[in-house]
């Protein structure tokens, strides 16, 4: 009932603010289509975009090539550049000063949606990673079974792109598989008879005070982290030294007006030296005391097109975009391994103008992975001895957890038909239908048996015992002075050590096959009311089905735009109002099924002495700790209203979005009767407990965004100026963080809690990540051409408002009490810790020199965080009765320089 009342209230509110406008040219680009499709659009789709004047509704923003080229690129990933757009929120930890060497694409939230519920596309082909984007073990790269994931399957460099389109509301029924937004990256097309481009970019950092550094670090010193400890880091989470190299190159040839090809190669390489051991390494081992972790991303890309006559165009592309992140396990010899991500994407498109209208057909093959490779097959832990002595101050470990592959292989076919418009005296209509058909094979596989045994599972060799093999047994005498108190007697007069117990991670695989299909119908109409203005109506309906969840949800979409009657006479003051009511269904990730049975591939082995082989040891199988069952598909209902106002060369745009997120996915530990348990679900002691995935997640989001920009350059004394101001306010209430959160009984019942002294329901507490309450952005670009030189100066200013993070009160006597239903009741209590607002100023200075005959040399200097602001990225808060609410902050990276030089012709 409450949800129904809320929905009615929001609908009334939206109608009161009934507003908004046309998209693309009024946001960040004057083009309605990317350069890559201009030629075909003007010829094949002129009947739609010109004759009927049916415009796309305000669904987001578009970054064209000039914007991509003029803003600081940093790591060059697609999502980082989106910081200049309203209604795009970033992970609080994205810019941590402790990890400036990372190159992974940034996680983003659009319209309050979860970061793994966006639809990423490259040239219209999906590149979503549905394996385990939130990481069932978080960001821990050393976990035996689960590997860190990411939502964007391919780490594409923006230098390949012609444009990026972000849709955050009023999204056409042609798109599905998201509850956040759609990010479309469109690659370049050849425009020169023959041309090439190559550049090199560098950045580095060294936190030592007496060392040269292009990066300033801000490190918070506390009892758990000192500046000296940071400089001597052994962990990828603390990177005091790094260097990044980026090489970007492309070659193109437009053979004639009907055919061309473009190819490119880009790579981002980051090298991060770290200590491999927490103390000085013993010289008797061949392992290095200092190791350099690597982050290596590659983009190999080729695309060609051919126009067959006037009516048919064929375009084909292939992208190979692997990424290799190299890690090691601290204090462990021979422990280096790679985490591999990315993969292949092959696509073919055909556009055919027929008697009915325009037919588009496309097919694609996609392979993506999150895998571990290059790893030692087994992991062994020893007591300190005469030959196991490479870590003087602790136990001796060597090896790793074996190679593991998780991958998804996908085939897709998509066909759409846009029909010729129908026209009457005051009515125009365009009908669009489409169908998708796809097949996905998802896999988790361990190729070889892997054994793990720690030093706690070793026993001493006695007189007369000698190792028959020296992999799991050592004849080196254990140093009893290094043993914990109370164990010396057990090892007295030992002749060595052997491992008697181990965990076996058995070779095997878990896989699933999924067939998905989707159909949509969309009708776009224009009603010309003459002196009363024009009304644009787009109604669509989309049906999705897959065998994975065996559900067929139907998503209606409705968009209305009213073009004010004075627009024809007063074009400099044109006004358009917009309204939308839409439903979006997201995706169910493959990790839900791939976790089922994974733990039952583990066995506990125990052998009676050093002569017995592991094959003959007693074996106890671990229980399966996850039960997968088909669940509902998460969805979001959206109400949207907005206005677009032209003021001479400026466009002012504002909109309001409200979304109800329901049936969202989270995890719970339940017993055989379906009751939620607070006990350890993974423990073999609790045999009847299993993790399950449920539809008990919910969210409510409100977003207000305003933008102002000039649609054409402002020229003063030959200097061209482009301005963009954007503001957004976001409020997100969600009863969980992501699908790895464990649901409790209290949360299921939407328990009462105290949040900073205010009584509220658990689901009404504010979200803590991807939600700066409001953000102000100002992007200024100035270009000036003089003689053979062209100068660029770009400044991007961003202020992100402060927010509260939650600190849990753990002691019962410190919890708040309220009268609930006439009874004084203590409730779970949280204290708010304020994260202050963050201001940053990023700059790009660029110069080009025309060397004649089309040869251009160029240099760019990017300065991120020009003022070296000390902004808190994230804080771990806690509360105690004596100290109150305390927090250990992590700061964002300080001032950072990127230097780029290049040549093109």
């Amino acid at each position: 009932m409450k949800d129904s009342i809320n929905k009615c209230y929001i609908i009334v509110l939206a109608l009161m603010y009934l507003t908004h406008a046309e998209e693309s040219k009024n946001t960040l680009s004057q083009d309605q289509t990317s350069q890559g499709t201009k030629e075909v659009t003007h010829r094949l789709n002129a009947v739609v975009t010109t004759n009927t004047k049916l415009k796309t509704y305000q669904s987001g923003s578009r970054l064209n090539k000039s914007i991509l080229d003029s803003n600081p690129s940093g790591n060059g990933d697609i999502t980082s550049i989106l910081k200049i757009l309203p209604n795009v929120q970033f992970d609080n930890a994205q810019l941590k000063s402790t990890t400036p060497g990372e190159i992974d694409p940034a996680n983003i939230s659009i319209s309050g949606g979860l970061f793994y519920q966006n639809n990423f596309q490259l040239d219209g082909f999906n590149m979503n990673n549905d394996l385990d984007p939130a990481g069932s073990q978080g960001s821990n790269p050393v976990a035996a079974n689960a590997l860190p994931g990411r939502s964007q399957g391919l780490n594409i460099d923006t230098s390949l792109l012609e444009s990026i389109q972000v849709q955050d509301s009023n999204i056409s029924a042609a798109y599905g598989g998201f509850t956040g937004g759609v990010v479309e990256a469109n690659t370049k097309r050849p425009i020169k008879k023959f041309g090439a481009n190559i550049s090199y970019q560098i950045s580095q950092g060294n936190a030592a005070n007496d060392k040269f550094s292009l990066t300033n670090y801000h490190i918070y010193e506390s009892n758990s982290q000192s500046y000296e400890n940071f400089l001597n880091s052994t962990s990828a989470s603390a990177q005091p030294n790094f260097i990044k190299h980026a090489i970007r190159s492309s070659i193109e040839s437009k053979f004639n007006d009907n055919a061309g090809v473009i190819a490119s190669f880009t790579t981002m390489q980051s090298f991060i030296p770290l200590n491999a051991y927490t103390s000085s390494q013993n010289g008797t081992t061949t392992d290095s005391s200092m190791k350099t972790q690597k982050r290596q991303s590659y983009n190999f890309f080729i695309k060609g097109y051919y126009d067959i006559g006037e009516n048919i165009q064929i375009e084909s592309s292939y992208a190979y975009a692997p990424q290799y992140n190299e890690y090691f396990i601290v204090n462990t010899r021979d422990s280096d391994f790679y985490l591999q991500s990315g993969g292949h994407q092959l696509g073919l498109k055909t556009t055919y103008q027929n008697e009915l209208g325009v037919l588009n057909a496309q097919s694609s093959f996609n392979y993506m992975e999150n895998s571990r490779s290059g790893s030692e097959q087994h992991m062994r832990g020893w007591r300190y001895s005469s030959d196991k002595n490479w870590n003087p101050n602790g136990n001796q470990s060597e090896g790793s957890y074996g190679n593991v592959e998780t991958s998804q292989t996908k085939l897709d076919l998509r066909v759409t038909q846009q029909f010729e418009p129908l026209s009457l005296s005051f009515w125009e209509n365009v009908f669009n239908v489409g169908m998708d058909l796809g097949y996905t094979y998802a896999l988790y596989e361990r190729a070889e048996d892997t054994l793990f045994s720690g030093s706690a599972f070793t026993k001493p060799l006695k007189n007369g015992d000698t190792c028959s093999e020296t992999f799991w047994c050592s004849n080196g005498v254990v140093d009893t002075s290094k043993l914990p108190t109370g164990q010396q007697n057990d090892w007295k007069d030992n002749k060595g050590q052997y491992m008697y117990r181990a965990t076996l991670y058995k070779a095997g695989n878990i896989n699933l096959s999924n067939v998905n299909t989707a159909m949509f119908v969309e009708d776009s109409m224009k009603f010309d009311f003459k002196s009363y203005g024009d009304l644009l109506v787009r109604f669509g309906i989309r049906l999705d089905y897959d065998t994975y969840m065996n559900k067929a949800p139907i998503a209606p979409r409705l968009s209305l735009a009213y073009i004010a009657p004075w627009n024809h006479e007063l074009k400099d003051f044109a006004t358009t109002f917009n309204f939308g009511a839409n439903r979006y269904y997201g995706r169910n990730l493959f990790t839900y099924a791939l976790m089922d049975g994974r733990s039952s591939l583990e066995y506990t082995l125990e052998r009676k002495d050093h002569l017995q082989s592991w094959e003959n040891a007693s074996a106890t199988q671990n229980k399966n700790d996850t039960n997968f069952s088909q669940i509902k598909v998460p969805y979001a209902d959206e109400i949207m209203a907005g206005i677009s106002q032209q003021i001479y060369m400026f466009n002012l745009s504002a909109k309001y979005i409200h979304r109800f997120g329901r049936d969202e996915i989270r995890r719970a530990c339940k017993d055989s009767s379906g009751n939620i348990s607070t006990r350890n679900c993974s423990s073999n002691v609790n045999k009847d407990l299993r993790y399950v995935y449920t539809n008990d997640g919910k969210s409510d989001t409100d977003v207000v965004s305003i933008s102002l920009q000039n649609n054409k350059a402002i020229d003063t004394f030959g200097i061209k100026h482009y301005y963009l101001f954007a503001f957004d306010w976001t409020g997100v209430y969600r009863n969980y963080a992501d699908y790895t959160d464990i649901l409790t009984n209290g949360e299921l019942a939407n328990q009462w809690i105290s949040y900073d002294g205010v009584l509220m329901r658990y689901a009404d507490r504010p979200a803590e990540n991807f939600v700066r309450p409001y953000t102000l952005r100002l992007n200024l670009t100035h270009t000036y051409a003089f003689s053979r030189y062209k100068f660029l100066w770009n400044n991007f200013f961003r202020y992100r408002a402060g927010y509260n993070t939650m600190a849990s009160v753990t002691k019962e006597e410190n919890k708040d009490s309220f009268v609930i239903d006439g009874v004084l009741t203590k409730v779970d209590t949280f204290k708010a810790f304020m994260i202050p607002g963050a201001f940053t100023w990023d700059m790009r200075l660029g110069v080009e020199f025309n060397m004649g005959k089309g040869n251009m040399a160029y240099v760019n200097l990017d300065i991120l965080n020009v003022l070296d602001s000390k902004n808190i990225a994230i804080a771990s808060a806690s509360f105690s009765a004596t100290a109150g609410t305390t927090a250990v902050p992590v700061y964002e990276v300080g001032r950072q320089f990127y230097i780029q030089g290049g040549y093109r012709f």
Side-chain angles (χ1 to χ4, degrees):
M1 176 65 72
K2 182 179 178 181
D3 285 346
S4 299
I5 294 173
N6 285 339
K7 287 184 179 181
C8 292
Y9 173 76
I10 294 299
I11 290 172
V12 172
L13 182 65
L15 290 171
M16 292 173 62
Y17 286 93
L18 185 59
T19 47
H20 214 203
E22 304 162 332
E23 184 187 359
S24 53
K25 72 175 182 180
N26 291 330
T27 51
L28 295 180
S29 172
Q30 295 184 26
D31 290 332
Q32 289 284 345
T33 57
S34 68
Q35 179 68 33
T37 57
K38 275 184 180 177
E39 299 166 5
V40 178
T41 301
H42 289 320
R43 185 172 67 250
L44 299 185
N45 291 349
V47 65
V48 175
T49 59
T50 303
N51 293 347
T52 67
K53 298 182 180 179
L54 293 178
K55 306 286 187 176
T56 54
Y57 298 82
Q58 182 182 4
S59 59
S61 306
R62 180 176 180 273
L63 303 178
N64 61 17
K65 187 176 183 298
S66 63
I67 295 174
L68 298 178
D69 289 344
S70 62
N71 279 264
S73 60
N75 289 335
D77 60 288
I78 289 174
T79 46
S80 289
I81 189 66
L82 301 184
K83 65 186 178 183
I84 70 177
L85 297 180
N87 201 9
V88 178
Q89 297 269 355
F90 287 79
D91 187 346
N92 294 341
Q94 181 221 352
L95 298 175
K96 285 195 304 183
S97 189
T98 53
T99 56
E102 299 298 334
I103 64 172
D104 284 339
N107 286 328
I108 60 170
S109 168
I110 301 175
S111 296
L114 291 157
F115 69 91
Y116 50 84
Q117 281 291 1
N118 298 316
N119 185 346
F120 288 97
Q121 297 190 358
L122 180 65
D123 285 338
F125 305 116
N126 287 336
M127 58 171 185
N128 304 303
N129 177 5
D130 291 333
L131 291 169
D132 194 3
S136 296
Q137 293 291 330
S139 58
N140 178 20
V142 184
N145 282 333
L147 306 177
R150 69 183 190 204
S151 57
Q152 183 181 318
L154 303 178
N155 187 0
I156 300 298
D157 192 276
T158 55
S159 65
L160 276 65
L161 304 182
E162 184 66 31
S163 66
I164 303 175
Q165 177 88 18
V166 178
Q167 300 189 61
D168 59 18
S169 61
N170 252 12
I171 303 174
S172 164
Y175 299 90
F178 65 92
T179 55
V182 179
V183 180
E184 300 174 275
N186 301 301
T187 59
K188 299 175 183 177
R189 282 167 60 96
I191 58 175
K192 297 179 180 179
K193 186 173 182 180
F194 182 74
N197 189 358
I198 187 168
S199 70
Y200 169 75
Q201 185 180 48
I202 187 172
S203 184
Q204 60 86 228
N206 194 320
N209 288 326
D210 58 342
K211 300 294 185 181
F212 173 81
S213 180
L214 293 174
T215 300
N216 283 354
Y217 289 79
H218 296 309
I219 306 301
Y220 181 84
E221 294 197 66
S222 65
N223 293 332
S224 59
Q225 172 71 70
S226 69
Y227 176 71
E228 191 64 30
N229 288 340
F230 181 77
L231 292 181
N232 294 290
S233 170
T234 59
S235 170
S237 63
Q239 303 170 1
N241 194 357
F242 76 94
I243 185 167
K244 290 181 180 178
H245 308 276
I247 297 174
R248 300 178 173 100
S249 62
S250 65
I251 188 169
E252 65 181 272
S253 178
K254 188 174 180 181
F255 309 132
N256 50 49
D257 290 339
N258 297 323
V261 65
I262 187 169
S264 65
F265 167 76
T266 68
T267 180
M268 172 66 75
Q269 307 264 333
S270 181
F271 301 93
I272 308 164
L274 295 168
N275 289 311
Y277 294 84
T278 55
S279 58
S280 299
Q281 178 196 22
N282 192 295
T284 60
T285 179
T286 58
D287 207 25
S288 174
S289 60
M290 177 71 74
K291 294 183 178 180
T292 298
Q293 292 196 353
K294 303 181 184 70
R295 311 288 188 263
Q296 300 168 300
S297 175
Y298 300 91
N299 286 180
F300 301 88
F301 180 77
I302 186 169
K303 179 167 76 172
Y305 75 93
Y306 178 50
D307 293 348
I308 305 174
E310 289 294 318
N311 299 326
I312 301 177
Q313 186 211 37
I314 297 176
E315 179 180 288
S316 182
S317 63
Y318 168 68
Y320 175 46
Q323 182 172 324
Y324 305 92
N325 289 2
E326 185 179 12
Y327 298 90
F328 62 82
I329 304 173
V330 64
N331 293 331
T332 304
R333 188 174 74 170
D334 301 327
S335 63
D336 303 71
F337 64 90
Y338 285 96
L339 292 183
Q340 293 177 210
S341 57
H344 304 262
Q345 184 158 287
L346 176 65
L348 176 66
K349 292 181 181 179
T350 302
T351 303
Y352 172 49
Q353 184 180 14
N354 52 58
E355 294 181 355
L356 298 176
V358 180
L359 175 71
N360 290 280
Q362 65 181 54
S363 59
S364 64
F365 166 81
N366 183 292
Y367 172 83
M368 296 176 189
E369 65 175 325
N370 286 336
S371 300
R372 180 169 58 227
S373 64
S375 170
E376 288 290 322
Q377 185 177 350
H378 304 293
M379 168 72 83
R380 294 162 290 157
W382 305 93
R383 311 279 183 167
Y384 186 92
S385 68
S386 57
D387 64 342
K388 308 298 182 183
N389 56 3
W390 48 85
N391 185 27
N393 297 326
N395 292 318
Q396 318 301 302
S397 298
E398 55 183 330
S400 191
Y401 292 105
N403 295 330
V404 173
E405 176 189 354
T406 57
S407 63
Q408 64 182 46
T409 305
K410 187 172 178 61
L411 295 170
D412 273 311
L413 175 64
R414 176 181 174 88
V415 179
T416 62
Q417 173 71 49
Q418 184 170 280
F419 291 89
E420 290 279 359
L422 301 174
S423 299
L424 295 176
S425 59
F426 67 95
W427 174 74
E428 296 176 346
N429 183 85
V430 171
F431 199 61
N432 193 18
V433 299
M435 180 174 181
D436 298 341
L437 180 63
Y439 170 79
T440 306
Y441 178 75
L443 171 72
Y444 166 87
E445 181 175 31
R446 182 180 288 276
E448 299 177 297
D449 287 353
T450 293
L451 286 173
F452 163 69
S453 184
S455 58
F457 301 136
T458 59
K459 285 185 177 181
L461 293 176
K462 305 298 184 181
N463 284 331
D465 291 346
T466 304
C467 296
S468 57
E469 55 82 25
T470 56
F471 195 85
W472 301 103
C473 184
S474 168
N475 290 312
V477 176
V478 172
D479 186 345
T480 56
S481 68
K482 301 279 189 179
L483 296 174
T485 302
Q487 295 187 15
Q488 285 87 349
N489 287 336
D490 296 337
W491 290 83
K492 185 180 180 182
D493 300 324
N494 74 87
K495 303 302 179 184
Q497 59 185 314
Y498 75 95
M499 297 177 184
Y500 72 94
R501 181 181 294 173
T503 298
L504 167 64
Y505 300 99
K506 192 171 181 59
N509 72 73
I510 302 165
N511 61 76
L512 67 91
S513 295
N514 178 44
V515 176
N516 65 279
T517 186
M519 293 175 284
F520 75 89
V521 177
E522 194 165 69
D523 192 17
S524 298
M525 293 175 284
K526 175 187 175 184
F527 297 90
D528 185 356
F529 297 130
K530 305 300 181 183
S531 60
Y532 295 97
D534 297 334
L535 178 66
L536 306 181
V537 181
R538 185 182 68 193
F539 175 75
I541 190 165
R542 181 182 180 90
L543 181 145
D544 289 271
Y545 171 79
D546 65 40
T547 57
Y548 181 31
M549 293 301 171
N550 196 28
K551 302 292 190 298
I554 297 176
R557 313 274 176 92
L558 173 65
S559 300
L560 302 174
Y562 175 68
I563 300 174
W566 57 82
N567 287 12
H568 298 296
E569 291 77 20
L570 299 173
K571 292 184 179 180
D572 288 340
F573 297 93
T575 305
T576 305
F577 300 93
N578 199 15
F579 171 78
N582 304 280
R583 172 168 287 194
Y584 309 118
Y585 279 94
R587 306 185 309 280
N588 279 315
L589 308 176
F590 298 131
T591 188
Y592 310 152
L594 296 181
M595 292 298 291
D596 190 345
R598 191 176 303 188
S599 63
S600 62
L601 293 174
E602 300 176 21
Y603 294 76
T604 300
L605 306 182
E606 189 163 346
R607 55 181 185 168
K608 58 186 179 181
D609 56 42
H610 66 287
L611 298 176
Q612 185 179 23
S613 68
W614 290 115
E615 288 79 6
N616 296 322
S618 64
T620 304
Q621 185 177 17
N622 287 9
K623 74 171 188 181
N624 176 27
D625 66 7
T626 301
N627 279 355
F628 167 73
S629 60
Q630 291 178 327
I631 51 181
K632 298 177 183 177
V633 182
Y635 69 91
D637 283 336
E638 172 189 272
I639 298 292
M640 175 269 194
I643 184 172
S644 179
Q645 177 66 55
Q646 192 75 23
I647 307 173
Y648 292 109
M649 67 176 62
F650 289 92
N651 179 259
L652 175 65
S653 178
K655 67 178 175 181
Y656 165 74
I657 303 169
H658 182 84
R659 285 192 180 175
F660 308 88
R662 297 297 183 264
D663 288 342
E664 297 179 350
I665 312 301
R666 58 179 309 183
R667 193 165 60 149
C669 181
K670 293 188 177 182
D671 60 25
S672 56
S673 299
N675 301 313
I676 291 178
S677 174
T678 58
R679 293 184 293 170
N680 185 354
C681 216
S682 298
S683 171
N684 282 316
V685 175
N686 305 315
K687 295 290 186 181
D688 64 333
L689 299 183
R690 297 290 186 274
Y691 289 119
V692 297
Y693 292 93
T694 77
N695 289 106
D696 293 309
K698 62 180 292 188
S699 64
D700 290 280
T701 301
D702 293 282
V703 180
V704 175
S705 61
I706 301 171
S707 66
L708 176 68
Q709 72 166 48
N710 54 309
N711 292 327
K712 60 182 180 180
I714 299 174
D715 195 318
T716 57
F717 305 105
I719 303 175
K720 298 184 183 300
H721 310 273
Y722 298 88
Y723 305 105
L724 168 67
F725 168 80
F727 165 84
D728 62 54
W729 175 87
T730 303
V732 179
Y733 297 87
R734 180 178 288 116
N735 65 351
Y736 69 112
D738 57 48
Y739 60 82
T740 65
D741 262 8
I742 305 299
L743 179 67
T744 66
N745 272 314
E747 293 170 18
L748 186 64
N750 201 12
Q751 70 191 79
W752 288 106
I753 65 169
S754 173
Y755 182 69
D756 209 27
V758 178
L759 183 68
M760 65 175 62
R761 292 290 189 179
Y762 186 86
D764 295 329
R765 65 190 176 92
E768 297 181 82
N769 200 2
F770 298 95
V771 281
R772 292 280 186 170
Y774 66 85
T775 304
L776 291 163
R777 302 168 173 88
L778 179 61
N779 195 50
L780 310 175
T781 304
H782 317 279
T783 61
Y784 177 65
F786 173 74
S787 183
R788 293 189 174 188
Y789 295 90
K790 182 178 180 181
F791 300 93
L792 165 73
W793 185 25
N794 173 268
N795 294 279
F796 174 64
F797 304 93
R798 180 171 58 153
Y799 176 77
R800 291 160 289 156
Y803 65 98
N804 287 328
T805 188
M806 294 175 66
S808 176
V809 176
T810 55
K811 290 188 177 181
E812 193 69 23
E813 59 268 25
N814 297 325
K815 292 184 178 180
D816 295 337
S817 297
F818 296 86
V819 176
I820 302 175
D821 296 330
V823 179
L824 186 64
T825 307
K826 280 193 174 184
V827 297
D828 286 347
T829 301
F830 301 89
K831 300 294 185 182
F833 179 81
M834 182 64 182
I835 305 296
F839 175 78
T840 52
W841 170 16
D842 299 336
M843 180 190 298
R844 166 167 282 195
L845 296 169
V847 59
E848 293 182 357
F849 174 62
N850 189 339
M851 304 167 63
K853 298 183 178 180
N855 294 275
M856 304 287 292
Y858 58 92
V859 176
N860 291 315
L861 173 64
D862 293 349
I863 312 173
L864 307 181
N865 194 357
V866 173
L867 299 180
D868 199 27
S869 301
K870 202 172 184 179
N871 298 320
I872 292 180
I874 194 170
S876 175
S878 61
F879 178 85
S880 66
T882 55
T885 303
T886 58
V888 179
V890 174
Y891 294 108
E892 292 183 352
V893 70
R895 184 186 300 112
Q896 185 174 22
F897 294 88
Y898 284 81
I899 304 169
Q900 181 186 31
Y903 166 76
R904 68 173 180 266
F905 64 88

